């Protein structure tokens, strides 16, 4: 069986050929405005699930096969609980949404329990040391992550219109959970961001002269406002230095247009790792560690936990409360008996 094809009904004529299973799933995800990264992850997990069971069609399988695949990920591959749960979510999406299978066994598949881990947090001195070993666009992005508490993809998807210099704030659109929120714009980043926008505008004008300059717009805005994708306000704050063909068809024409995407997350992740290595830092450092440090340092400075919750975009204050562990110095504020000798 073709890994990505759906089984035709008995007696059905060959033409027209029904769409392949993964193509049906891709169309379903795009119709419901799932992000491109989620789309790619879900399709990859379904493909692995089918290959693991020797290319059997999902309609021929049940809870036993799903549990076997998830157990394989946990035992043989030793993936994290969050990765295992993402695989489960992709498979359940396939059955419930694409194949329309509503069977009791779907609810019986056990959800992996995510262990409670304390986040890696840098001290202010360590953050300063890390940032001094970074420069250029990736260095500015790292400063933005620490200065605003944004997630990496939120920073990379930042558009020109959402940087409010007069109000000293940044509007984060369609963050995690498809929610908007407002965070602070650091005074120290006002001038660097203006300089970045100046460089981004020069690239945009160069693209316009070449008959390009159309940025990807969310949902159906490209259809509602035909020329908005060329407007300066909708461009990326951190555009990629190179152009590429958009894997998603244009909402108006259905064509795969040549666009300038934003900076790739891998570029920032690599730059942060290399900076931490040059700084000889022992702690594991990633762009997300800067977000953890932002929240922790605000709480240490005396800001209310509800304020920090809003800046981070957490749905529940209990998620933000994990950063309060650093407020108790010396292991929950306990004086060791060894120090009393």
């Amino acid at each position: 069986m073709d890994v990505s094809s759906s089984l035709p009904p008995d007696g059905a004529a060959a033409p027209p050929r029904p769409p392949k299973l993964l193509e049906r799933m891709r169309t379903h995800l795009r119709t419901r405005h799932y992000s491109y990264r989620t789309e790619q992850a879900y399709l990859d997990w379904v493909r692995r699930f089918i290959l693991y069971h020797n290319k059997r069609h999902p309609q021929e399988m049940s809870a036993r096969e799903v549990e076997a695949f998830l157990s394989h990920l946990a035992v043989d591959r030793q993936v994290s609980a969050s990765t295992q749960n993402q695989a489960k979510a992709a498979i359940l999406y396939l059955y419930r949404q694409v194949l329309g299978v509503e069977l009791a066994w779907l609810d019986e598949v056990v959800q992996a329990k995510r262990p409670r881990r304390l986040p890696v947090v840098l001290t202010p001195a360590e953050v300063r040391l890390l940032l001094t070993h970074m420069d250029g666009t990736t260095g500015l992005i790292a400063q933005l992550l620490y200065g605003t508490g944004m997630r990496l993809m939120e920073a990379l998807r930042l558009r020109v219109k959402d940087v409010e210099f007069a109000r000293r704030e940044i509007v984060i659109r369609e963050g995690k959970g498809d929610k908007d929120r407002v965070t602070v714009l650091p005074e120290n980043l006002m001038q660097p961001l203006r300089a970045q926008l100046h460089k981004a505008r020069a690239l945009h004008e160069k693209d316009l002269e070449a008959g390009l300059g159309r940025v990807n717009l969310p949902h159906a805005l490209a259809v509602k406002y035909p020329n908005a994708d060329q407007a300066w306000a909708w461009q990326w704050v951190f555009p990629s230095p190179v152009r590429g063909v958009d894997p998603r068809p244009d909402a108006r024409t259905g064509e795969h247009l040549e666009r300038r995407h934003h900076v790739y997350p891998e570029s920032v992740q690599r730059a942060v790792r290399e900076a931490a290595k040059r700084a000889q830092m022992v702690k594991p450092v990633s762009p997300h560690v800067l977000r953890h440090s932002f929240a922790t340092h605000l709480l240490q400075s005396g800001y209310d936990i509800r304020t920090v919750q809003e800046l981070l975009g957490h749905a529940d204050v209990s998620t933000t409360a994990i950063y309060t562990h650093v407020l108790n110095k010396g292991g929950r504020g306990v004086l060791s008996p060894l120090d009393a000798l």
Side-chain angles (χ1 to χ4, degrees), residues 78-93:
Q78 296 185 353
V79 302
S80 65
S82 59
T83 300
Q84 186 185 20
N85 286 336
Q86 184 189 60
K88 176 190 173 183
I91 296 171
L92 296 192
Y93 186 94

Side-chain angles (χ1 to χ4, degrees), residues 263-282:
V263 171
Y264 286 99
E266 292 78 11
S267 301
V268 183
Q269 292 165 347
R270 181 171 56 253
V272 170
R273 287 197 304 268
E274 292 176 352
K277 184 177 180 180
R278 289 193 297 270
Q280 299 182 344
M281 303 183 70
V282 178

Side-chain angles (χ1 to χ4, degrees), residues 130-172:
L130 176 72
L131 295 179
T132 56
H133 284 81
M134 299 186 70
D135 55 15
T137 302
T138 54
L140 177 57
I141 294 173
Q143 292 182 60
L144 194 65
L145 296 181
Y146 175 66
T148 64
M150 285 194 288
R151 300 175 178 90
L152 176 57
M153 292 308 301
E154 292 172 345
L156 298 184
R157 291 171 179 160
L158 189 62
R159 298 184 190 260
V160 173
K161 66 181 182 63
D162 295 323
V163 181
E164 298 277 0
F165 288 103
R167 296 170 58 91
R168 284 191 56 195
E169 65 184 27
I170 293 177
V171 182
I172 300 170

Side-chain angles (χ1 to χ4, degrees), residues 17 44 57 61 70 80 82-83 153 165 232 245 254 305 313:
R17 185 176 179 180
D44 183 59
H57 195 281
M61 297 184 277
L70 296 179
S80 65
S82 59
T83 300
M153 292 308 301
F165 288 103
W232 166 239
V245 178
I305 191 171

